Amino acid sequence: MDRKVKRLVLLVVSCSAAGVILGGTASWAESKQCLKATHVTSECLTQDPVMNTLQGISTGFIAGAGAAFGAAWQLRHEE
């Protein structure tokens, strides 16, 4: 594997992992906070916390990978 390709893979993996962690944590905290609110809505009660967390994880993964590719694209065009 070429050195530049290894760096790109490392960048994508690390940004995606950070996105997964941040997205999953934020969605999980939001669902827990929703249930502890003083006025619980029917939308809050019908949402599955596990599915909400999985959606946050997938969104974070896509955002992290997109950010990594965007940063690599910008660096490539600056050179």
Side-chain angles (χ1 to χ4, degrees):
M1 221 188 243
D2 186 45
R3 184 175 171 186
K4 287 186 178 185
V5 173
K6 286 182 182 179
R7 289 192 323 191
L8 176 63
V9 169
L10 181 62
L11 179 67
V12 170
V13 168
S14 60
C15 287
S16 297
V20 164
I21 292 168
L22 290 174
T25 304
S27 295
W28 178 76
E30 183 181 346
S31 65
K32 293 295 180 185
Q33 192 175 33
C34 177
L35 292 174
K36 291 182 180 180
T38 55
H39 301 291
V40 179
T41 63
S42 61
E43 180 183 338
C44 178
L45 294 174
T46 58
Q47 290 179 347
D48 184 17
V50 175
M51 288 304 295
N52 196 14
T53 303
L54 288 175
Q55 287 176 347
I57 287 172
S58 63
T59 302
F61 176 78
I62 292 169
F69 280 118
W73 181 271
Q74 183 178 6
L75 285 174
R76 184 175 183 200
H77 284 293
E78 284 181 0
E79 292 179 355

